[in-house]
Every structure is written in C-alpha cells, then in structure tokens.
Amino acid sequence: QVQLVESGGGLVQAGGSLRLSCAASGSIFSINAMGWYRQAPGNQRELVATVTSYGSTNYAESVKGRFTISNNNAERTVYLQMNSLKPEDTAVYYCYTTTKASMATPLMNYWGQGTQVTVSS
C-alpha cells in the first residue's frame, strides 16, 4: 500500500501564488509518475499536471505558463507551483502516483485525500 500526504492548499487572492507538495511513502519499488488532478464542485476530476520519473511533464492547457510541476525522486515528492491564480482554479487538488511495489508487480495508481485551493476574486 502507498500513502500520499498533501500540503500547501489554502485561500489566496486572484493573481497570487500557492505551492502544493505531496510525499509518497509505503510499499514503493519504483515510481513511474506523480502528478495532480483537481475537482471543482459539480465538475469531473481533471488533469492538472504530471511528471514522470524521468522528468517529462504534461500540463492542462488551462494552466500552461502559470503552473510548474517538479519532483524529487529521492524524496518521492512532487510539487506544484501555482502562479497567477484565477478564481476558476478553485478546486480540491488531488495528488496521485503510479508505482510498482516490486519488479514483478503491475503498476498501481494511488490518490491522496485532496487539499482545497480557493482563489478569491
């Protein structure tokens, strides 16, 4: 089993910045990718950004140029630097990771409990 602990959410005014962190622990042989999704009330969960263990990144169009994802493989941690925040960025942000518990086991997805980000206008 893998546990993800998120931190860094909160309330910020439009145009402000926040930095989210997520640390993975537990039965981890290797990490394939880590990233962030978000879900606003009444909406489906959507991809925000991902980073592979090799450092390849992918962003939702709506956050490109404003958000930056980074990771620390040694510490099994992923970060999301969010700048120029907009009210429409308000959502619960969920950390996820895709890992293997051993060389022989398949990749598994795990999710954090979520952290609230609220951007006021």
Side-chain angles (χ1 to χ4, degrees):
Q1 194 73 342
V2 173
Q3 295 79 42
L4 295 170
V5 178
E6 301 141 327
S7 62
L11 173 64
V12 66
Q13 288 189 329
S17 299
L18 284 174
R19 187 183 192 226
L20 305 183
S21 300
C22 174
S25 63
S27 301
I28 300 173
F29 171 74
S30 64
I31 294 178
N32 177 263
M34 297 186 77
W36 298 90
Y37 279 68
R38 68 186 180 187
Q39 186 167 20
N43 291 354
Q44 290 187 333
R45 191 173 295 190
E46 63 176 5
L47 171 72
V48 178
T50 62
V51 59
T52 70
S53 59
Y54 297 101
S56 177
T57 59
N58 183 44
Y59 295 91
E61 285 295 326
S62 60
V63 307
K64 282 184 179 178
R66 301 188 297 123
F67 291 10
T68 302
I69 191 168
S70 60
N71 65 332
N72 184 319
N73 288 329
E75 296 184 358
R76 296 172 175 175
T77 303
V78 64
Y79 306 95
L80 185 68
Q81 178 66 43
M82 304 185 292
N83 299 328
S84 302
L85 282 160
K86 304 176 181 179
E88 51 264 42
D89 294 317
T90 296
V92 177
Y93 284 68
Y94 296 92
C95 175
Y96 89 95
T97 186
T98 303
T99 70
K100 291 171 68 72
S102 70
M103 187 174 291
T105 55
L107 287 168
M108 297 287 290
N109 293 327
Y110 296 92
W111 294 88
Q113 292 186 322
T115 184
Q116 177 70 46
V117 171
T118 302
V119 184
S120 63
S121 57

